[in-house]
Amino acid sequence: MQTINICQGPQNVSRLILGCMRMPALSRETAAEMIRTAVDLGINYFDHATVYGAGEAERRFAEAFALTDLKREDLIIQSKCGILPAEKIFDWRKDSIIESVDQILQRLQTEYLDVLLLHRPDLLFDPEQVAAAFDQLEASGKVRTFGISNTMPMQIELLKKYVRQPLKINQLQLSLEQSQLIDQDLYMNNKTTELSVMRDGGALCYCRLHDITIQAWSPLQHGMFGGMFIDNPDFPELNEALADLADKYNATKAAIAIAWILRHPAKMQVIAGTMNPVHLKEMAEADRIDLTHEEWYRLYLASGKFLP
Ligand SMILES: NC(=O)c1ccc[n+]([C@@H]2O[C@H](COP(=O)([O-])OP(=O)(O)OC[C@H]3O[C@@H](n4cnc5c(N)ncnc54)[C@H](OP(=O)(O)O)[C@@H]3O)[C@@H](O)[C@H]2O)c1
């Protein structure tokens, strides 16, 4: 698997990340098989969040990891905090961030996180509180690299005014069907289509300008957890284009959908959410597929967009 270096962050990390949101559905043994399969494929990066299975994903990962003979230092373990579903709030206050990280470390049975992301912006966030939390977490050695998720450029700028640590990762939704991250750059200044609406403050260009690695979440889903677009009769044209290229590259449609994201020059990472080792192997084939310029556009247009 090809690797990338995250600017001022972990180096030699796999382009594919295994997202562990769906791991609570697995037994300890099958979760261990999933982790081993990922590592055998060259995937060294694992994504978590406090909210995945209300902590169960992190617990299951730790139990499963203990069944492998892998070394902690060979993996990049990332988690996210800032969402408190029971309280129905987002919370970036200092004590909440610090307490969340302590709980994450306990559940993951590790002494440090390679990367901590703030999951979704707290509408009441005070950047000085975030800065104080990050300083403490860095000084204690509990977190090595910091970033954000679903966060807009101006919010990042506001954080940067106070936070000393570089924020070099932004986890954002992107798939062939949910491509608003890209659409808004195409239809600018066009009031005849909803696709021209800038929904994220220009996050794609901002992240590229500031060497922030984008991690694309839900790469095979339509809508917000609407289900897969692959083999979905609601997306006939897209599936036909994916099938043609799958034939050409001797891969699956899912691999082509991942290759479409990897082909973007922003050098994004893709977070795969499968908990099926066979599916993961198929998706990892995306790493060897370098779609042409024309093929990238064909898929984009087949997903229902049009050139202005
Ligand atoms: N930052 C955020 O706000 C945010 C939000 C959501 C998710 N995430 C992260 O992104 C990760 C991925 O999200 P996701 O699970 O929605 O992504 P996904 O990779 O688009 O979807 C995975 C789902 O597709 C299914 N699937 C069915 N056929 C498949 C095939 N042929 N190949 C691959 N998958 C197939 C998988 O089932 P099988 O297991 O049966 O293969 C699984 O249920 C999460 O684990 C999480 O780490 C972040």
Side-chain angles (χ1 to χ4, degrees):
M1 166 97 29
Q2 295 174 63
T3 58
I4 61 162
N5 297 327
I6 293 174
C7 179
Q8 295 178 275
Q11 305 291 289
N12 301 313
V13 298
S14 50
R15 298 202 291 169
L16 226 61
I17 295 173
L18 184 67
C20 299
M21 179 173 74
R22 301 173 195 267
M23 197 166 264
L26 305 187
S27 68
R28 254 187 340 159
E29 290 71 23
T30 49
E33 187 193 348
M34 218 39 232
I35 296 170
R36 274 192 216 101
T37 304
V39 171
D40 288 347
L41 290 166
I43 297 171
N44 61 4
Y45 206 118
F46 296 83
D47 181 59
H48 287 275
T50 53
V51 286
Y52 296 161
E56 266 320 294
E58 291 167 335
R59 264 186 223 105
R60 189 62 36 80
F61 181 90
E63 293 164 358
F65 179 74
L67 298 179
T68 71
D69 51 9
L70 297 165
K71 294 198 196 96
R72 166 68 184 90
E73 58 271 26
D74 292 338
L75 305 188
I76 303 294
I77 301 183
Q78 167 177 286
S79 193
K80 305 187 283 295
C81 71
I83 297 182
L84 303 184
E87 290 83 350
K88 294 200 172 118
I89 58 168
F90 293 169
D91 195 347
W92 286 11
R93 285 175 291 182
K94 179 186 174 198
D95 291 350
S96 173
I97 294 171
I98 287 171
E99 196 182 320
S100 292
V101 170
D102 283 338
Q103 290 167 357
I104 291 169
L105 295 178
Q106 205 174 19
R107 286 192 294 264
L108 283 170
Q109 294 174 37
T110 182
E111 284 172 6
Y112 67 94
L113 279 178
D114 295 281
V115 183
L116 174 73
L117 307 182
L118 298 178
H119 203 157
R120 280 192 178 275
D122 171 3
L123 297 173
L124 297 176
F125 90 81
D126 173 351
E128 291 180 86
Q129 294 252 334
V130 175
F134 283 10
D135 279 346
Q136 192 169 318
L137 290 169
E138 185 184 51
S140 62
K142 291 179 180 173
V143 176
R144 296 187 172 175
T145 300
F146 298 85
I148 58 279
S149 168
N150 305 304
T151 301
M152 294 212 273
M154 287 304 279
Q155 293 168 320
I156 300 174
E157 285 295 311
L158 181 53
L159 281 171
K160 277 165 62 176
K161 182 171 175 193
Y162 299 92
V163 171
R164 290 183 315 108
Q165 296 75 14
L167 302 171
K168 291 295 180 185
I169 295 167
N170 197 2
Q171 201 170 102
L172 300 167
Q173 186 174 19
L174 178 64
S175 74
L176 262 163
E177 202 278 333
Q178 282 289 299
S179 56
Q180 54 280 8
L181 188 68
I182 287 169
D183 303 335
Q184 61 200 7
D185 287 352
L186 181 65
Y187 302 97
M188 68 86 68
N189 199 19
N190 181 336
K191 70 175 185 181
T192 65
T193 170
E194 267 281 295
L195 293 166
S196 67
V197 177
M198 182 164 283
R199 297 175 194 279
D200 60 22
L204 178 57
C205 281
Y206 176 88
C207 289
R208 294 180 74 183
L209 263 172
H210 295 274
D211 299 318
I212 295 174
T213 296
I214 293 173
Q215 298 179 340
W217 59 264
S218 290
L220 304 179
Q221 306 288 309
H222 66 88
M224 182 92 173
F225 306 122
M228 285 231 305
F229 54 78
I230 308 267
D231 295 332
N232 183 330
D234 291 340
F235 304 95
E237 203 187 330
L238 178 56
N239 274 283
E240 194 186 318
L242 286 167
D244 281 354
L245 292 170
D247 267 359
K248 173 180 168 184
Y249 288 103
N250 192 22
T252 60
K253 292 198 236 177
I256 301 297
I258 302 301
W260 181 81
I261 300 174
L262 293 177
R263 172 65 181 79
H264 196 281
K267 296 190 175 58
M268 302 178 203
Q269 289 178 292
V270 176
I271 318 177
T274 181
M275 285 295 125
N276 176 329
V278 174
H279 287 163
L280 189 64
K281 281 179 200 154
E282 290 169 356
M283 288 171 88
E285 291 290 313
D287 188 53
R288 64 165 172 84
I289 298 170
D290 194 13
L291 295 175
T292 67
H293 209 90
E294 290 76 12
E295 288 164 349
W296 190 92
Y297 268 92
R298 179 180 172 203
L299 288 167
Y300 182 69
L301 297 179
S303 71
K305 288 88 178 186
F306 55 93
L307 296 179

